Amino acid sequence: MTSTVYKRILLKLSGEALMGEDSYGINRIVIERIVAEIADVNQLGVQIAVVIGGGNIFRGMTSAGDGMDRANADYMGMLATVMNGLALQDAMRRAGLVSRVQSALRIDQVVEPYIRGKAIRYLEEGKVVIFVAGTGNPFFTTDTAAALRGMEMNVDIVLKATKVDGVYTSDPKTDPGAIRYHNLSFDEAISQNLKVMDATALTLCRDQKLPLNVFSIFKAGALKRVVMGNEEGTLVRV
């Protein structure tokens, strides 16, 4: 088995990453490709936890949600992450990966409730643990949930999987002169208001000295390269 730099990781997967080029929903080809990347890392013996967002599902309800109470909208978003978690688990099952879904909201007929000790045991058994429903509280993003669960699971690093291969000085889609950061401090990311994670998540990671890597999940082998310690994306640390 190949030696890896990180033994236990938390992968933050946005709901938008599951859409591919679709306007909303889940693209089957994309989710299968993401699962294949996760399977490659799982085969190295790396323990993998996943926090998944729900923007791809909730995006289809945007017009209906205009003017909605923020707390209610956030609870709907949490339910969207449950749907994504179940879809991800099913794709993992088809790929031969054993996974468990744990929810911060109680939906016992569908998924397990979040129990820290049980989640850690699953990781130690080599199962992928998928955390859904964010923190279970409105007004907190799934970025914050990723930082929180990462600390609770004692992971070595949080990996934020996006459509962009790192953090840039400006939007690389609109600015051809945008430069990618290879390394950043949390204080730099916060003070410069860089689009890494929300400020609460960055502060949590900074205070607990939990490193963060932002990379593109759509670059073949990128997740494995990060876990192996190769330069990939942008590394944010104290």
Side-chain angles (χ1 to χ4, degrees), residues 219-234:
K219 287 180 65 176
L223 176 59
K224 186 175 181 179
R225 288 193 293 274
V226 172
V227 169
M228 297 295 294
N230 298 325
E231 184 179 295
E232 186 72 41
T234 300

Side-chain angles (χ1 to χ4, degrees), residues 58 61 68-83 104-107 133-140:
F58 198 62
M61 300 182 280
M68 182 180 295
D69 175 78
R70 169 63 189 274
N72 283 338
D74 283 357
Y75 281 121
M76 290 174 66
M78 291 179 216
L79 295 176
T81 73
V82 176
M83 290 158 51
L105 294 177
R106 296 295 296 263
I107 318 177
T135 67
N137 302 288
F139 308 106
F140 290 92

Side-chain angles (χ1 to χ4, degrees), residues 34-48:
I34 290 172
V35 167
E37 297 284 331
I38 294 173
D40 281 346
V41 173
N42 179 260
Q43 289 170 3
L44 297 174
V46 177
Q47 298 175 14
I48 306 169

Side-chain angles (χ1 to χ4, degrees), residues 64-165:
D66 287 344
M68 182 180 295
D69 175 78
R70 169 63 189 274
N72 283 338
D74 283 357
Y75 281 121
M76 290 174 66
M78 291 179 216
L79 295 176
T81 73
V82 176
M83 290 158 51
N84 280 338
L86 291 172
L88 186 62
Q89 182 184 43
D90 187 71
M92 287 183 177
R93 178 189 57 79
R94 295 196 303 272
L97 276 178
V98 180
S99 62
R100 295 290 185 268
V101 181
Q102 288 198 347
S103 172
L105 294 177
R106 296 295 296 263
I107 318 177
D108 295 0
Q109 293 91 338
V110 181
V111 293
E112 297 181 21
Y114 169 64
I115 300 174
R116 178 175 180 265
K118 184 178 286 189
I120 290 175
R121 186 173 77 246
Y122 286 151
L123 291 174
E124 292 171 345
E125 293 171 349
K127 299 179 175 70
V128 179
V129 182
I130 305 167
F131 296 116
V132 299
T135 67
N137 302 288
F139 308 106
F140 290 92
T141 68
T142 50
D143 279 351
T144 299
L148 178 63
R149 295 289 182 255
M151 290 183 288
E152 290 177 311
M153 294 299 106
N154 300 316
V155 301
D156 299 318
I157 191 169
V158 172
L159 306 179
K160 182 170 181 178
T162 69
K163 293 184 176 181
V164 183
D165 63 339

Side-chain angles (χ1 to χ4, degrees), residues 14-27:
S14 70
E16 286 80 359
L18 303 181
M19 297 189 306
E21 298 303 319
D22 299 340
S23 56
Y24 62 90
I26 299 170
N27 184 296

